[in-house]
């Protein structure tokens, strides 16, 4: 599954940390955007618990693409 946007993007310096608990990007700190920095870490935990993979590709000023891959068990 892939989800993408055309938002502000994520800097290459911050991209490795986006799945860390409580991490909020530099451009969001101090803003009243809400959030605690837990959303992506929870998503990663769920995907990990299902033996899947989650990744992000991003460019500042262009947007971000999140990809989740899960194996489907057919029994």
């Amino acid at each position: 599954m892939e989800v993408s946007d055309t938002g502000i993007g994520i800097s290459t310096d911050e991209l490795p940390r986006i799945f860390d608990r409580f991490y909020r990007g530099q451009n969001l700190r101090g803003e009243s955007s809400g959030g605690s920095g837990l959303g992506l870490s929870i998503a990663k935990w769920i995907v990990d618990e299902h033996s899947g993979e989650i990744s992000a590709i991003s460019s500042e000023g262009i947007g971000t693409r999140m990809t989740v891959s899960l194996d489907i068990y057919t029994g």
Side-chain angles (χ1 to χ4, degrees), residues 4-75:
S4 61
D5 68 26
T6 55
I8 61 174
I10 303 166
S11 74
T12 55
D13 293 341
E14 294 183 313
L15 201 54
R17 298 198 57 211
I18 63 170
F19 296 109
D20 294 349
R21 290 183 345 173
F22 301 110
Y23 184 75
R24 295 182 70 208
Q26 191 70 23
N27 57 0
L28 293 178
R29 292 183 199 143
E31 290 188 19
S32 59
S33 62
S36 61
L38 287 173
L40 288 176
S41 65
I42 292 170
K44 182 170 178 12
W45 176 79
I46 292 168
V47 171
D48 287 348
E49 288 296 306
H50 291 280
S51 301
E53 295 180 17
I54 186 170
S55 62
I57 298 172
S58 187
S59 296
E60 286 185 274
I62 296 174
T64 303
R65 181 174 66 211
M66 304 293 294
T67 303
V68 174
S69 300
L70 299 170
D71 286 334
I72 298 175
Y73 177 72
T74 58

